Amino acid sequence: DDHRLAFAIGDVTGKGVPAALFMAVSRTLLRATAARNSSPSECLALVNASLCAEDVGGMFVTCFYGVLDTRTGRIEMCNAGHNPPYILRADGSVEPTPQVGGFMLGMFAETAYQCTTVDLGPGDSLVLYTDGVTEAANAGDEQYEEERLEATLERLATEAAVTAEQVVG
């Protein structure tokens, strides 16, 4: 609506055409369910039940779904087995979001999902990512990993805070 912005990120199991089709179905279900203005937890529970009813042979999708109230900066969010986002604060600090939610979508039909909220202030950012980032490997077959992602985000947040301070100052 005029003051709420819904957003999501997901990652499907498998590769190729079957995975692409499963993600397309998952995305369509999420969009259709979210349009009914249900809470993120209700939305994910309904999408999960629909995917489980299809029983597509062990395929599932992880999903992080949130709704930002643009008037207040409050995000109501729910996580279905996805990598938890990070908050980059305007002061240069980095915080992981609370880890609540439930199982991946399409795994267990009777899964309940929990929501939580976080508040973004002016200049704060929310960083969403998939395991494609943390599992990326260099020529030496070393993965990027969570710790390195966090260190990179802390460096970027600090640089942004210093730049903002210089602009304001």
Side-chain angles (χ1 to χ4, degrees):
D1 56 32
D2 290 340
H3 63 273
R4 293 183 310 153
L5 173 70
F7 59 94
I9 188 170
D11 195 7
V12 68
T13 57
K15 299 198 182 317
V17 173
L21 290 173
F22 191 74
M23 181 55 92
V25 168
S26 300
R27 180 180 179 268
T28 300
L29 286 169
L30 181 63
R31 289 178 64 110
T33 305
R36 290 185 252 166
N37 292 319
S38 55
S39 74
S41 60
E42 292 169 342
C43 183
L44 291 186
L46 290 167
V47 170
N48 180 62
S50 295
L51 289 173
C52 286
E54 296 303 316
D55 191 23
V56 291
M59 292 193 82
F60 62 86
V61 62
T62 65
C63 181
F64 178 90
Y65 175 56
V67 178
L68 168 67
D69 185 324
T70 59
R71 299 168 301 180
T72 64
R74 175 158 284 185
I75 299 174
E76 183 180 15
M77 58 190 186
C78 192
N79 195 340
H82 197 76
N83 305 82
Y86 287 92
I87 301 169
L88 277 61
R89 298 289 183 191
D91 66 4
S93 63
V94 176
E95 304 170 15
T97 56
Q99 293 194 29
V100 299
F103 288 106
M104 293 77 75
L105 302 174
M107 290 285 289
F108 304 107
E110 299 300 319
T111 299
Y113 295 89
Q114 296 177 332
C115 278
T116 190
T117 60
V118 296
D119 293 315
L120 296 182
D124 291 347
S125 301
L126 187 68
V127 177
L128 291 83
Y129 65 99
T130 68
D131 62 11
V133 172
T134 53
E135 293 177 2
N138 63 16
D141 207 30
E142 299 168 317
Q143 289 190 344
Y144 195 73
E145 297 183 342
E146 295 278 336
E147 295 79 21
R148 202 159 152 206
L149 174 62
E150 289 177 18
T152 299
L153 292 175
E154 287 171 1
R155 182 178 49 80
L156 293 172
T158 301
E159 289 173 6
V162 169
T163 301
E165 180 74 22
Q166 291 171 346
V167 170
V168 173

